[in-house]
């Protein structure tokens, strides 16, 4: 048998510990017999040895058979689809010929890694189901994931099918970390060489400019061979010009001078076309520049015509404004940087979308852009702001305190399984988004079909969102045949509700049979509105459009599942209209503020507002007559945020528009919200390579001296609005650097801030763009890396037509089993036995009697033999019985009786010794104290007539006297 120790250092103590045990035992003065002494020494030595083996972590290496093979399949953009399929077929072919004891698993990877199949004896990959991003190649992530997913038993082997063009992570480091765990790696090369490639590496320009400043737009391009190319340059989606250029083999630098006279945000894009180039993805790049000027404000509104009064008021205060509909809201954080303040006028959260709300939150918090939210019937709680990034940036809360009683709404969802990938998961997420948008007093219920029409949960207040959300995440709707019964159930539930606003949303792909005209009329008669959401529809949407049109709701024909959550937020906002108060009221002054300075205390009447609650740190200079916030403001990160819960147009503020201080009021709000952070005078540069960006800052004062030991940090916002904070470390005189990963395609915005005494002293906004996936930067496989991985992994480059990874390099493996616990248990038992041998005295007769008792209790002990009696006593009894038998026979015949012979002295000695030992001490003593019998006593029987008992008693008395 094979053994090993997890902590073998304890074995060095074995000989000293055993020697000390022997020495200590020899010095002991315990008085015990020789066999007990030897047994105790032996047991002690065994106990000490067992304890040392337990401390050393004794393990038995159990031999095992079988191999575990993980196939790592590259699904990134740089591997052609045909080769991805061939690697999948290679898995099926090799797995079909493996031994039954072997197991196969599959991991797919791109930007991330995912397990397609865990190792199991039967693997047949018909189609790759796991979805991973394909814009990057992270071999290291696949190696780490597969190593962690290996079973504990059997040989471990990785088969890596890739082109080797890793652009994120470090595959060699991951492999070296896996090797000590018994993992080997073989390589199946993929990929093709792509000749005649032309690529744009970078578009460079200054990020911050002054009006009228001339600068160069620099284009860095590479070409595999010299040749002509056509170059196009765009600015803010407008073509500036087209030019024929001659490229040389290798790197090329092209430069175009530009001058920008107007302040604002400018987006530049370059495109190159070359004959024979088969990879168009890497033929374009983009960059952006900011021209600073007078403060600019952006007004985003659902009604551009209705906000003319506000636009004129801001222009009259010398602010440059731009009015756009919701569709014109900036789609990137870079575009938002060209404005110093953004006004949202009656805009719902569903119209903005989650991504743009995240970017807006970051623009205010991380870049100092001002935000002013103005109310209306689609704003604040009525617009679904609850639990959104927009609510986080505002100084008011959409959750109302318990003292405010508002009319409640009721929402019933009719959910039908749709025929598109992950349809049920999207149904769960959309239902959860609607739940999250509702207030605690609002009601919600879900009806669906999973073999029968039923409620997932009845229409009820959504106060316990956690429990309802748990039920939603376990929902699995089926393909219902008809809308009629489920809509009837939803209708009955809404009809019983006491809510003021009742709304039904039907989510389906349009397959089920439509309800009847009478059923829809009955729903409408009970003042219930109906909206329909058709996703992935493969039938005519006529029925879904008809239900929405008749029901007074909206119809959505959705082609992108990612749009669903915001649609349901927008539909949930229908029942949130109960948060609107449309009654005339006079604003009440609650506190002095910069925003209302010079306004006096008499404000015109307003005719409506949206009910909200103030946040703890917010200031609320104006309140409604019911004590709700009308005007609130606060500092949010680097920016400032304002909320005005009434509107700024003729619907609720018609008296305000005619007010002589209307312009002053909005001008002061706009001026207070403008960006305040001073621009830092830094020279900055951003480079991106292999999925990582490097920010380099040079800090020099006005006299040309280096500024050292500055506290600099940069806030990085990804194209999806995700934020990370990175500290810049000083790497030289006046030079600071920071690094961060860039996994996503698009523009990364950075705000380099100088901190002093815990406050931002100055900042500088800049950005960098990841123009295309680096998967298209390499034109051929990285065979050098693949060879090095195979060598370091103890494997080889596989030939798919010959090599089978299940047949190569098979070795016997062992599974360690811990024995230290058994050693410790045995040591405890032997220690108890050692104590028993030394402390408990048992003679041979007692051991025999004990053994007899034990055997009598055992079912397999056999018949118990009676203990052997005293031989002398047995002889006397036999002699007595024989004499009695003869005397009885003589008496019967009339012959003289023969007296019993006198026992010998040895018989008496043995008998008296036994009797005295069996008789109690006090009895024996009392008998010896009696006076001796008088031989002449007339009562004493004659010698011839003495019985055997009398003679025995006399012999006993004499023996006791002799002993005394």
């Amino acid at each position: 048998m094979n053994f090993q120790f997890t902590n073998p250092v304890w074995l060095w103590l074995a000989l000293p510990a055993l020697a000390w045990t022997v020495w200590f035992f020899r010095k002991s003065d315990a008085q015990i017999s020789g066999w007990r002494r030897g047994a105790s020494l032996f047991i002690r030595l065994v106990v000490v040895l067992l304890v040392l083996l337990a401390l050393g972590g004794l393990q038995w290496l159990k031999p095992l058979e079988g191999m575990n093979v993980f196939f790592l399949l590259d699904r990134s953009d740089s591997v052609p689809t045909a080769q991805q399929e061939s690697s999948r077929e290679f898995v099926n072919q090799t797995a079909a010929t493996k031994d039954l004891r072997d197991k196969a698993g599959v991991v797919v990877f791109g930007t991330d890694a995912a397990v397609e199949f865990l190792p199991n004896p039967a693997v047949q990959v018909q189609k790759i189901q796991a979805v991973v991003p394909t814009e990057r190649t992270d071999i290291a992530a696949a190696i780490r994931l597969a190593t962690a997913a290996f079973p504990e038993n059997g040989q471990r082997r990785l088969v890596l099918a890739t082109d080797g063009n890793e652009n994120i992570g470090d595959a060699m480091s991951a492999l070296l970390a896996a090797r000590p765990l018994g993992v080997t790696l073989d390589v199946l090369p993929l990929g093709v060489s792509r000749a005649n490639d032309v690529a744009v590496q970078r578009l460079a320009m200054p990020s911050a400019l002054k009006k009228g400043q001339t600068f160069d737009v620099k284009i860095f391009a590479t070409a595999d061979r010299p040749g002509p190319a056509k170059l196009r340059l765009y600015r803010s989606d407008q073509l500036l010009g087209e030019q024929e250029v001659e490229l040389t083999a290798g790197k090329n630098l092209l430069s175009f001078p530009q001058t920008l006279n107007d302040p604002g945000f400018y987006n530049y894009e370059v495109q190159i076309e070359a004959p024979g180039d088969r990879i168009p993805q890497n033929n374009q790049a983009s960059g952006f520049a900011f021209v600073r000027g007078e403060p600019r404000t952006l007004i985003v509104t659902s009604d551009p015509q209705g906000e003319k009064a506000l636009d004129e008021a801001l222009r009259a205060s010398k602010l440059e404004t731009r009015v756009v509909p919701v569709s014109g809201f900036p789609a990137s954080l870079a575009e938002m940087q060209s404005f110093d303040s953004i006004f949202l006028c009656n805009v719902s959260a569903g119209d903005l979308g989650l991504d743009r709300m995240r970017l807006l939150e970051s623009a205010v918090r991380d870049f100092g852009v001002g935000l002013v939210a103005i109310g209306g019937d689609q704003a604040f709680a009525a617009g679904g702001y609850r639990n959104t990034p927009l609510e986080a940036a505002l100084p008011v809360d959409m959750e109302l305190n318990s003292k405010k009683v508002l009319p409640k709404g009721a929402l019933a969802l009719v959910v039908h399984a749709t025929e598109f990938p992950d349809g049920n998961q999207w149904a769960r997420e959309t239902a959860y988004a609607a739940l999250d948008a509702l207030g605690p007093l609002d009601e919600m219920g879900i009806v669906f079909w999973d073999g029968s029409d039923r409620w997932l949960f009845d229409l009820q207040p959504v106060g316990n969102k956690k429990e309802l959300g748990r039920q939603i995440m376990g929902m699995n709707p089926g393909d219902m045949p008809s809308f009629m019964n489920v809509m009837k159930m939803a209708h009955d539930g809404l009809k019983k509700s006491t809510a003021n606003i009742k709304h039904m949303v039907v989510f389906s792909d349009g397959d089920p049979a439509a309800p009847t005209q009478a059923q829809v009329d009955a729903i409408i008669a009970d003042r219930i509105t109906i909206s329909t959401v058709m996703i992935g529809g493969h039938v005519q949407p006529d029925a879904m459009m008809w239900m929405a049109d008749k029901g007074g709701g909206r119809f959505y024909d959705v082609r992108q599942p990612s749009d669903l959550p915001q649609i349901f937020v927008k539909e949930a906002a229908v029942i949130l209209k109960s948060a609107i108060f449309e009654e005339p009221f006079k604003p009440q002054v609650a506190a002095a503020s910069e925003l209302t300075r010079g306004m006096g205390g008499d404000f015109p009447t307003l005719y409506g507002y949206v009910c909200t609650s103030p946040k703890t740190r917010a200031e609320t200079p104006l309140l409604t007559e019911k004590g709700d916030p009308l005007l609130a403001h606060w500092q949010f990160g680097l920016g400032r945020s304002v909320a005005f819960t009434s509107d700024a147009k003729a619907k609720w503020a018609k008296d305000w528009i005619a007010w002589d201080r209307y312009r002053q009021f909005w001008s002061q709000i706009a001026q207070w919200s403008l960006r305040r952070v001073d621009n830092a005078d830094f020279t900055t540069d951003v480079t991106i390579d292999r999925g990582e960006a490097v920010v380099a800052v040079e800090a020099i004062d006005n006299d040309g001296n280096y500024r050292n030991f500055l506290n600099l940090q940069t806030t990085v916002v990804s194209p999806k609005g995700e934020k990370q904070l990175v500290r810049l470390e000083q790497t030289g005189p006046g030079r600071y650097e920071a690094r961060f990963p860039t996994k996503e395609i698009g523009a990364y915005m950075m705000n380099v801030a100088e901190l002093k005494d815990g406050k931002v002293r100055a900042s500088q906004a800049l950005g960098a763009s990841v123009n295309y996936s680096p998967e298209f930067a390499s034109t051929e496989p990285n065979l050098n890396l693949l060879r090095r991985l195979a060598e370091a992994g103890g494997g080889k480059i596989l030939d798919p037509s010959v090599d089978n990874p299940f047949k190569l390099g098979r070795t016997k493996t062992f599974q360690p089993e811990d024995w230290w616990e058994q050693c410790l248990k045995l040591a405890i038992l032997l220690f108890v036995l050692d104590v028993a041998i030394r402390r408990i005295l048992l003679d041979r007769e007692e051991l025999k009697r004990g053994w007899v008792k034990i055997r009598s209790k055992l079912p397999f002990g056999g018949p118990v033999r009676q203990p052997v009696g005293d031989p002398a006593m047995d002889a006397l009894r036999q002699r007595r019985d024989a004499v009695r038998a003869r005397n009885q026979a003589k008496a019967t015949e009339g012959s003289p009786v023969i007296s019993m012979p006198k026992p010998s002295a040895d018989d008496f000695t043995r008998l008296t010794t036994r009797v005295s030992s069996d008789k109690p001490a006090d009895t024996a003593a009392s008998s010896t104290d009696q006076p001796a019998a008088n031989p002449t006593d007339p009562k004493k029987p004659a010698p011839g007539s003495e019985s055997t008992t009398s003679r025995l008693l006399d012999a006993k008395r004499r023996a006791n006297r002799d002993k005394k």
Side-chain angles (χ1 to χ4, degrees):
M1 293 194 301
N2 297 319
F3 294 95
Q4 70 177 14
F5 297 91
T6 59
N7 193 11
V9 69
W10 287 97
L11 301 182
W12 290 96
L13 300 177
L15 290 177
L18 295 175
W20 178 83
T21 303
V22 173
W23 178 85
F24 184 78
F25 191 83
R26 289 174 61 87
K27 293 294 183 181
S28 175
D29 57 355
Q31 300 298 320
I32 57 177
S33 61
W35 74 269
R36 290 164 63 195
R37 189 177 181 86
S40 177
L41 176 60
F42 175 76
I43 293 175
R44 286 188 181 185
L45 293 175
V46 174
V47 168
V48 172
L49 184 60
L50 289 173
V51 171
L52 290 173
L53 292 176
L55 292 174
L58 178 65
Q59 291 181 329
W60 174 44
L61 298 179
K62 180 181 179 181
L64 298 172
E65 296 291 340
M67 177 181 288
N68 303 302
V69 176
F70 249 124
F71 294 89
L72 313 182
L73 307 184
D74 190 346
R75 310 294 290 181
S76 63
D77 292 334
S78 61
V79 179
T81 303
Q83 294 201 4
Q84 293 182 10
E85 289 300 307
S86 67
S87 64
R88 182 184 62 82
E89 288 297 330
F90 177 73
V91 174
N92 294 334
Q93 293 171 5
T94 55
T97 61
K98 69 177 182 60
D99 192 279
L100 293 178
R101 296 171 297 180
D102 299 336
K103 296 180 180 180
V106 178
V107 168
V108 296
F109 67 94
T111 305
D112 299 316
V115 175
E116 179 73 16
F117 282 103
L118 287 171
N120 58 82
V123 171
Q124 182 68 26
V125 186
Q126 299 294 338
K127 182 180 179 181
I128 300 296
Q129 302 292 339
V131 179
V132 294
T134 60
E135 296 86 5
R136 297 284 193 278
T137 299
D138 192 350
I139 300 175
I143 293 176
R144 287 193 297 267
L145 179 60
T147 301
F150 267 123
E152 295 183 2
N153 308 329
Q155 189 176 348
R156 301 176 179 182
R157 169 167 289 170
L158 300 176
V159 177
L160 176 62
T162 179
D163 60 358
N165 287 322
E166 68 168 349
N167 39 56
I168 187 173
D170 189 347
M172 186 60 70
S173 297
L175 178 59
L176 294 178
R179 287 289 287 152
L181 302 176
V183 177
T184 60
L185 182 138
D186 296 318
V187 174
L188 179 65
L190 301 178
V192 295
S193 297
R194 298 172 293 197
N196 305 328
D197 184 52
V198 174
V200 180
Q201 290 186 319
R202 184 185 175 197
L203 182 64
M205 68 190 69
S207 58
L209 299 167
K210 297 179 180 179
K211 287 195 301 182
Q213 178 181 348
T214 300
F215 63 98
D216 289 331
V217 176
K218 298 179 181 179
I219 303 168
F220 297 87
T222 60
D224 289 345
R225 64 179 184 179
K230 183 181 295 184
L231 185 146
R232 298 186 183 92
L233 185 64
Y234 296 84
R235 184 177 67 196
S236 299
D237 298 328
Q238 293 183 351
L239 179 63
L240 293 180
E242 184 176 284
Q243 182 177 348
E244 295 287 341
V245 296
E246 190 71 23
L247 300 178
T248 61
K251 296 183 178 180
N252 296 265
L253 174 60
L254 306 174
S255 180
F256 294 88
Q258 290 286 298
T259 302
L260 298 174
N261 296 316
D262 297 325
F265 165 83
Y266 294 89
N267 179 38
Y268 281 85
E269 182 177 346
V270 64
Q271 296 178 356
I272 292 181
E273 291 182 4
D277 186 5
R278 294 180 293 178
I279 308 175
Q281 290 91 341
N282 59 8
N283 290 3
Q284 60 184 6
S286 61
F288 44 84
F290 304 104
V291 179
R292 291 294 180 189
E294 296 299 325
R296 304 180 69 209
T297 59
L298 176 68
I299 300 176
V300 183
T301 175
S302 59
D303 181 17
Q305 294 296 324
E307 305 299 341
K308 283 186 175 182
L310 176 63
D311 182 27
E312 293 174 356
L314 297 182
R315 289 181 181 273
S317 60
K318 308 301 181 181
L319 289 175
E320 182 181 346
T321 63
R322 180 183 174 191
V323 181
V324 297
V326 179
S327 59
F329 189 89
S332 69
L333 188 57
E335 291 182 73
M336 296 182 192
Q337 296 303 308
S338 60
F339 300 99
D340 296 283
S341 183
I342 297 177
F343 280 65
L344 296 180
C345 300
N346 197 25
V347 176
S348 72
D351 288 334
L352 280 180
L354 185 60
D355 290 340
R356 289 193 290 187
M357 282 191 289
R358 284 200 190 104
L359 296 177
L360 179 58
E361 178 192 20
S362 179
V364 179
R365 180 191 60 211
D366 305 320
F367 296 88
V369 177
L371 172 63
V372 179
I374 301 176
D377 58 356
Q378 299 183 58
F380 299 109
Y385 287 12
R386 182 181 284 112
N387 299 326
T388 64
L390 183 55
E391 181 191 26
L394 291 174
V396 291
D397 199 333
M398 307 307 127
E399 297 287 352
L400 306 182
N401 59 49
S402 58
K403 296 180 180 179
K404 298 177 182 178
V405 180
L406 294 179
K408 62 182 180 179
L411 174 66
L413 300 183
V414 176
V415 182
H416 169 219
T418 55
E419 299 177 8
F420 68 96
D422 294 330
N424 281 356
Q425 180 59 29
W426 280 109
R428 299 183 196 106
E429 292 185 9
T430 54
Y432 192 87
L435 172 69
D436 202 34
L438 297 178
L441 299 180
D442 296 320
E443 297 178 352
M444 179 177 173
I446 298 179
V447 187
F448 73 116
W449 186 90
D450 61 351
S452 62
D453 301 319
R454 68 182 183 91
W455 287 91
L456 177 67
F457 52 83
D458 294 333
L459 198 68
Q460 59 185 284
V462 298
N464 188 3
K465 292 186 179 182
K466 185 176 181 180
E467 172 60 24
L468 298 183
R470 185 189 63 79
Q471 296 185 49
I472 288 174
M473 288 307 166
M475 176 179 64
N476 284 299
D479 192 7
M480 68 175 67
S482 172
F483 283 131
M484 286 186 284
N485 193 35
V486 289
M487 290 185 66
K488 181 180 184 302
M489 295 171 64
H491 177 205
D492 293 340
L494 289 171
K495 184 165 58 174
K496 296 176 184 178
S497 173
T498 59
N500 296 69
I501 302 176
K502 304 176 183 180
H503 189 51
M504 184 188 303
V505 179
V506 180
F507 173 82
S508 173
D509 59 7
D511 278 347
T516 63
Q517 177 73 47
Q519 185 176 1
V520 174
D521 290 341
I523 294 174
I524 298 171
D526 289 321
R527 302 194 336 186
I528 300 172
T529 55
I530 305 173
S531 289
T532 57
V533 181
M534 183 171 180
I535 178 168
H538 44 270
V539 298
Q540 291 297 324
D542 297 345
M544 302 283 285
M545 295 175 65
W546 171 75
M547 285 190 289
D549 183 59
K550 290 292 183 181
R554 287 174 285 199
F555 166 72
Y556 302 90
D557 189 2
V558 180
R559 298 299 172 181
Q560 295 293 331
S562 58
D563 296 336
L564 282 171
Q566 288 307 310
I567 288 176
F568 274 76
V569 169
K570 194 172 183 178
E571 286 303 306
V574 171
I575 69 170
L576 298 174
K577 304 302 181 186
S578 55
I580 298 174
F581 281 84
E582 290 190 297
E583 298 176 358
F585 69 93
K586 294 280 288 184
Q588 307 295 315
V589 177
S593 170
E594 295 180 49
L595 280 65
T596 58
R597 184 183 296 117
M599 299 286 105
D602 186 18
F603 290 86
T605 300
L606 291 168
Y607 294 89
Y609 71 97
V610 184
C611 188
T612 60
S613 298
K615 291 183 178 177
T616 305
R617 294 187 298 105
E619 297 183 42
T620 54
L622 295 181
L623 299 176
T624 68
E625 291 180 343
K626 295 185 177 181
D628 296 325
L630 176 62
L631 177 65
H633 60 88
W634 72 345
Q635 183 82 29
F636 182 67
L638 297 180
R640 294 178 170 185
S641 176
V642 182
F644 186 73
T645 58
S646 187
D647 64 10
K649 54 187 181 182
K651 183 176 181 181
W652 291 342
K654 56 184 179 182
D655 292 352
W656 279 53
I657 295 176
W659 184 31
D660 57 352
R661 294 183 179 178
Y662 177 81
R663 292 183 178 182
Q664 180 186 351
F665 176 78
W666 289 112
S667 174
Q668 290 182 182
I669 289 178
Q671 292 290 343
W672 184 86
S673 67
L674 293 176
R675 193 193 321 248
R676 286 291 189 277
V677 180
D678 295 332
N679 291 326
D681 190 14
F682 295 143
T683 302
T684 57
D685 184 45
V686 183
T687 58
I688 297 177
D689 184 38
R690 292 179 57 83
E692 186 178 58
V694 179
V695 182
V697 175
E698 288 188 359
I700 302 176
D701 60 18
N702 295 330
D703 298 330
N705 299 319
Y706 293 118
R707 299 178 62 194
N708 297 317
F709 311 112
L710 298 180
N711 185 7
L712 300 181
Q713 67 180 22
T714 179
T715 301
V716 182
V717 181
S718 71
K720 293 183 178 180
E722 298 174 353
K723 170 192 171 183
Q724 59 178 316
L725 195 64
V726 184
R727 180 178 174 80
L728 281 82
E729 301 292 341
Q730 187 167 3
T731 59
R735 184 174 178 84
Y736 304 83
E737 288 187 0
R739 298 173 180 268
F740 59 89
T742 55
K743 290 186 177 181
E744 301 169 10
I745 306 299
Y748 286 81
M749 292 302 303
M750 289 150 278
N751 189 25
V752 179
E754 178 186 355
L755 302 179
K756 189 173 183 180
D757 299 329
K759 297 182 179 180
V760 177
R761 179 180 177 182
S763 68
Q764 184 183 70
L766 63 153
S769 180
V770 180
N771 302 301
Y772 53 85
S773 170
E775 293 293 302
F776 304 106
S778 300
T779 59
E780 60 184 14
N782 191 347
L783 298 179
N784 184 39
L785 175 62
L786 297 182
R787 292 190 191 97
R788 291 190 291 114
L789 289 175
E791 293 174 0
K796 59 177 292 188
I797 302 293
L798 297 178
D799 183 352
S801 61
V802 177
D803 296 325
N804 187 333
F806 289 98
K807 309 297 182 183
L808 299 173
R810 296 184 68 94
T811 59
K812 182 178 290 186
T813 58
F814 300 90
Q815 178 186 4
E817 291 187 359
D818 289 329
W819 276 23
W820 66 268
E821 187 175 354
Q822 288 79 355
C823 290
L824 205 56
K825 291 178 180 178
L826 182 57
I828 294 173
L829 294 176
L830 292 178
F831 176 75
V832 175
L833 179 59
D834 175 44
V835 174
I837 289 176
R838 290 184 289 108
R839 299 297 182 186
I840 302 176
L841 178 61
L842 298 173
D843 60 17
R844 192 170 297 175
E845 293 297 330
E846 290 174 332
L847 292 175
K848 285 182 179 180
R849 286 197 296 271
W851 173 242
V852 169
K853 290 182 179 179
I854 292 174
R855 290 197 60 186
S856 65
K857 302 293 184 181
L858 299 177
F860 52 82
V864 180
R865 300 174 63 182
Q866 296 297 329
V868 179
D870 191 346
M873 196 67 182
D874 292 343
L876 288 174
R877 290 193 185 98
Q878 291 175 5
R879 186 70 173 169
R880 181 197 63 189
D881 294 341
V883 171
R884 284 179 179 175
R886 291 195 197 102
N887 288 339
Q888 189 174 3
K890 294 286 186 178
T892 303
E893 296 175 1
S895 301
V897 178
I898 302 173
S899 61
M900 188 173 183
K902 184 178 181 179
S904 64
D906 292 338
D907 292 339
F908 276 117
T909 301
R910 286 192 294 268
L911 178 61
T912 54
T913 302
R914 182 178 184 89
V915 172
S916 63
S917 63
D918 294 339
K919 187 174 182 179
D922 55 351
T923 305
S926 62
S927 64
T928 58
D929 293 338
Q930 299 295 330
N934 188 353
T936 62
D937 189 352
K939 296 181 180 180
K940 184 178 179 179
S945 63
E946 287 181 354
S947 66
T948 303
T949 304
S950 299
R951 290 195 298 272
L952 290 174
L953 290 175
D954 291 339
K956 177 180 178 184
R957 293 188 188 101
R958 288 193 298 271
N960 287 334
R961 286 198 299 270
D962 295 342
K963 185 180 296 184
K964 296 178 66 175

